[in-house]
Amino acid sequence: MASNRIPDDAQIDAALERVSRGDTAAFAVIVRRYERSLRTWLAVHAPPGVDVDDIAQRSFVSAFTRLNEFELGTNFEAWLFTIAKFQLRTETTRLRRIADYHTRYGPDLLQRELARRSDSSSEAWKLRLEYLQGCLETLDERLRCFVSWRYDEEISLDEMATRSGRSVPAVKKQLWKTRQLLHQCVESRMTASEGGAS
């Protein structure tokens, strides 16, 4: 039961002393003492988009790895919070740079990619349509009928179920399987043509 209580300053000093002598497990006492207040402080000061838990964890890890820089007997909490401020500033700067990059270069990169795709895609789409037509011809008549009903005649699933004597879920499943077959057929033909072109 006593382990759930927040450690006092004397216990923190003793834990810091033990950690400095190599008892790394004693650092858990320090984390238990300052975790809530550090997370609360970070939650108040962190801008949107910053993961407070991640910054708190990084702050404790940094404090642990730099504990030899801490002077025993001075204010550990102030030292820890200084580390947390630095971690928060670093993360905020990183997020700002990412946002700035996307603001500056994102639209241009998107425009270039769309232009590249439209230049190369018209030929690719023509080829895909040609392969799709060939793949449709390889389907048995019953499956071609389902495709024709749905995409040529644009009839409802209910009407397809009535015409085929099947349930609507069965029709949906049949259409899904047929689309998968056609997709695989087109992709394999595209792959074969790319292999032949190289």
Side-chain angles (χ1 to χ4, degrees):
M1 193 88 164
S3 65
N4 288 336
R5 289 194 339 210
I6 294 177
D8 60 24
D9 290 342
Q11 290 170 313
I12 291 300
D13 289 342
L16 286 167
E17 184 69 41
R18 289 198 317 271
V19 173
S20 70
R21 288 193 310 253
D23 180 7
T24 57
F27 199 75
V29 173
I30 296 161
V31 171
R32 193 167 67 246
R33 167 66 177 85
Y34 296 111
E35 184 174 28
R36 177 175 281 170
S37 60
L38 183 64
R39 287 178 196 273
T40 302
W41 183 87
L42 285 167
V44 169
H45 290 88
V50 171
D51 184 344
V52 169
D53 292 334
D54 183 51
I55 300 299
Q57 182 177 1
R58 279 196 249 163
S59 301
F60 281 116
V61 168
S62 181
F64 178 79
T65 57
R66 297 171 52 197
L67 202 54
N68 61 330
E69 299 173 22
F70 176 71
E71 188 177 326
L72 289 173
T74 60
N75 188 339
F76 181 82
E77 183 176 29
W79 186 71
L80 175 65
F81 275 63
T82 300
I83 291 172
K85 285 177 193 175
F86 175 77
Q87 293 289 339
L88 180 60
R89 188 179 312 129
T90 301
E91 180 64 6
T92 303
T93 302
R94 186 185 75 82
L95 291 175
R96 196 176 299 124
R97 282 185 185 141
I98 290 171
D100 185 47
Y101 174 83
H102 287 300
T103 301
R104 286 186 190 183
Y105 303 110
D108 182 54
L109 292 173
L110 181 61
Q111 191 61 42
R112 286 185 197 183
E113 179 62 15
L114 289 173
R116 185 189 67 78
R117 286 186 182 188
S118 66
D119 290 344
S120 64
S121 65
S122 60
E123 281 302 314
W125 279 113
K126 286 179 190 172
L127 196 56
R128 279 185 175 278
L129 286 172
E130 189 179 305
Y131 289 152
L132 178 58
Q133 190 60 47
C135 291
L136 276 167
E137 291 169 10
T138 66
L139 290 177
D140 70 45
E141 192 173 334
R142 182 178 53 88
L143 294 180
R144 269 201 315 269
C145 190
F146 274 91
V147 172
S148 177
W149 286 343
R150 188 65 176 158
Y151 301 105
D152 294 336
E153 298 179 38
E154 297 181 359
I155 66 173
S156 69
L157 293 173
D158 289 328
E159 177 63 24
M160 289 177 68
T162 302
R163 287 187 187 185
S164 64
R166 302 172 83 177
S167 67
V168 171
V171 169
K172 284 182 180 178
K173 187 173 183 178
Q174 185 64 68
L175 280 170
W176 183 83
K177 284 183 172 183
T178 305
R179 285 192 299 264
Q180 289 296 106
L181 281 172
L182 290 171
H183 176 75
Q184 289 166 0
C185 176
V186 169
E187 289 305 313
S188 67
R189 291 182 182 204
M190 289 292 289
T191 303
S193 75
E194 288 167 5
S198 59

